[in-house]
Amino acid sequence: MLDSAFNILSYLGQGLWTTVSIFLAAALFSYIMAFVAGLTRMVKNPIIRGATAFYVEVFRGTSLIVQLFWLYYAVPILFDIQLGSNWIVGVIAIGLNYGAYMSEVVRTSILAVDKGQTEAAIALNLSPVQRMRHIILPQALRLMLPEFGNYSIQILKGTALVSLIGLTDILYYGDIYRSTNLSEGPMAYLMVLIMYFIIALPLIWMSKKGEKIARKGVAS
Amino acid sequence: MWSWETFIDAFPFIIKGINVTLGLTFTSYVLALAAGFIWLALESTPLRPFNFVIYWIREFIRSTPPIVQIFFLYFAWPMVPYIGTSFTPFIAAMIALGVHFSTYIAEVYRSGIESVDKGQWEASKALNFSRKDTWMKIVLPQALPPTIPMLGNYLIILFKEVPLAATIGVVGILSLGRTYGANTWSYIEPLTIVALLFLLLSYPSAVLIRKLEDKVNRRFDKKNTKVKVTE
């Protein structure tokens, strides 16, 4: 039994890089989207603010799997652009989806920084950019850490969907293995789950660590 | 390439799946609400190592992809020795999603219980309340109402995970949208309809929950009961 477990693990290993690379790219993309959308949602210009709100609400209001299929089928036809490989479609779908969720984290963390800080910065004659860059963001970043850790785990879980658009990730190889060795199905999926869990462990650790950092020195 | 004719033609076909989608949402939600209590009970036995094991099992279920769990239950569970039986797609998805979300719900319950002031426990002890009465009459009535917005949020999140069940053949709106696409070779309109339906149902609920959240926060005046809500 242990033998077959190792056997399956090495077989699933073929999909490891696809999962990890999509996870890293999608995580990076969603962090960027989170800051872009989170910050532009607070500007004065109503058109920019409205556009961002639209993006955030649409991606938060529909599900990732629907967005993934939509992008996969619709974007090449509708806008007549080829997004290159499915890898990019996966990264864009996951990145846009979680970017929308995380933009709310960015926004609420910035709003959570004490108002007195802004007032003091104004009193010290800092420009709005300086205010954000040197006073507000450093304090808000700390508050974002635990949530960013949590969402990173969500992103990892989201990457399992890319096997549905034909990418050869861990789940894809798990499915192949299961369909050729039916009796070993439970072991195959258990190993898939364990592999995801092992990748998630550092993320779990990071979000716990982030929680501690966020709490440090905060009176409440 | 967008055609309103296809849109109008596809709509009645896809809307037929809404019952299954909503049915799966609510049944797995009820399962998650019940199982959430079970996790908490299992994690607070006097047997420390047992609690520790349960904690990691919960963490394991929580941080692995629900789609793999659905596949596990549907494709692999029948092969499990002794206890394996085959489920219909609906039941498999219901159990998988219900158990997956119960791991989050348990966390919500815990935050609610922890938000009850320690003095309440002490007072009920001083008044000689039994263990059962302490829970039923003192702790839970204070612990549960503030968690309602969070529980509502998880209902919306669960609703958006339900289309995963399409992958094992539960005929909800996503399934029907893809079937329509496969039959007519036009995917954009049906998939847009699916997305619109999700948006139409989840956005107003989300707004409602945000209002409820404000109300609860004002009523209980406890900002610290608001815990993180992740999908």
Side-chain angles (χ1 to χ4, degrees), chain A residues 41 57-66 69-71 73-75 77-78 97-98 101 104 146-147 150-151 153-154 156-158 160-161 163-164 171 175 178 182-187 189-190 192-194 196-197 200-201 204 208 211, chain B residues 1-2 55-56 59-69 71-72 75-77 79-81 100 104 156-157 159-161 163-167 174 178 185 187-188 191-192 194-196 198-200 202-203 206 210 227-231:
Chain A
R41 215 177 167 181
E57 296 303 347
V58 164
F59 276 86
R60 269 164 33 116
T62 54
S63 42
L64 176 58
I65 185 172
V66 176
F69 283 140
W70 199 89
L71 284 172
Y73 289 116
V75 166
I77 306 169
L78 212 53
N97 181 273
Y98 288 105
Y101 280 100
E104 284 295 288
E147 288 285 323
N150 276 329
Y151 275 114
I153 302 171
Q154 302 298 333
L156 174 65
K157 281 159 53 175
L161 295 181
S163 60
L164 300 176
L171 178 55
D175 276 338
R178 197 258 321 163
L182 282 179
S183 62
E184 283 181 73
M187 190 54 113
Y189 283 125
L190 192 64
V192 172
L193 288 169
I194 286 175
Y196 277 107
F197 188 59
L201 276 178
I204 295 172
K208 294 241 158 82
E211 240 160 72
Chain B
M1 288 292 275
W2 175 270
Y55 171 81
W56 278 103
E59 195 76 50
F60 181 82
I61 295 175
R62 192 159 72 138
S63 32
T64 49
I67 186 171
V68 185
Q69 293 161 3
F71 283 2
F72 182 90
F75 292 119
W77 192 258
M79 317 297 175
V80 172
H100 187 85
Y104 291 105
I156 300 175
I157 295 170
F159 171 59
K160 287 180 279 180
E161 295 283 306
L164 291 179
T167 55
L174 178 61
R178 295 192 74 201
W185 275 106
Y187 279 98
I188 316 171
L191 284 176
T192 307
V194 174
L196 274 178
F198 272 101
L199 195 62
L200 277 179
S202 75
Y203 183 64
R210 268 174 238 172
V227 292
K228 62 218 169 190
V229 171
T230 45
E231 193 179 324

Side-chain angles (χ1 to χ4, degrees), chain A residues 80-143:
Chain A
D80 202 26
I81 38 172
Q82 291 296 329
L83 281 171
S85 62
N86 293 343
W87 189 88
I88 296 184
V89 175
V91 169
I92 290 179
I94 298 169
L96 285 178
N97 181 273
Y98 288 105
Y101 280 100
M102 289 161 82
S103 76
E104 284 295 288
V105 177
V106 172
R107 196 174 65 92
T108 51
S109 301
I110 288 174
L111 291 176
V113 173
D114 197 278
K115 240 186 161 170
Q117 300 286 326
T118 312
E119 288 160 5
I122 294 171
L124 289 168
N125 203 19
L126 297 181
S127 74
V129 175
Q130 283 175 322
R131 222 150 61 201
M132 193 47 95
R133 160 85 183 70
H134 293 292
I135 310 292
I136 310 289
L137 262 188
Q139 299 182 62
L141 274 179
R142 214 178 54 165
L143 299 175

Side-chain angles (χ1 to χ4, degrees), chain B residues 120-138:
Chain B
Q120 300 287 325
W121 292 91
E122 289 159 2
S124 77
K125 194 166 215 174
L127 291 167
N128 203 19
F129 272 57
S130 69
R131 207 176 135 79
K132 185 182 152 230
D133 279 354
T134 306
W135 276 103
M136 299 306 285
K137 291 187 176 152
I138 310 285

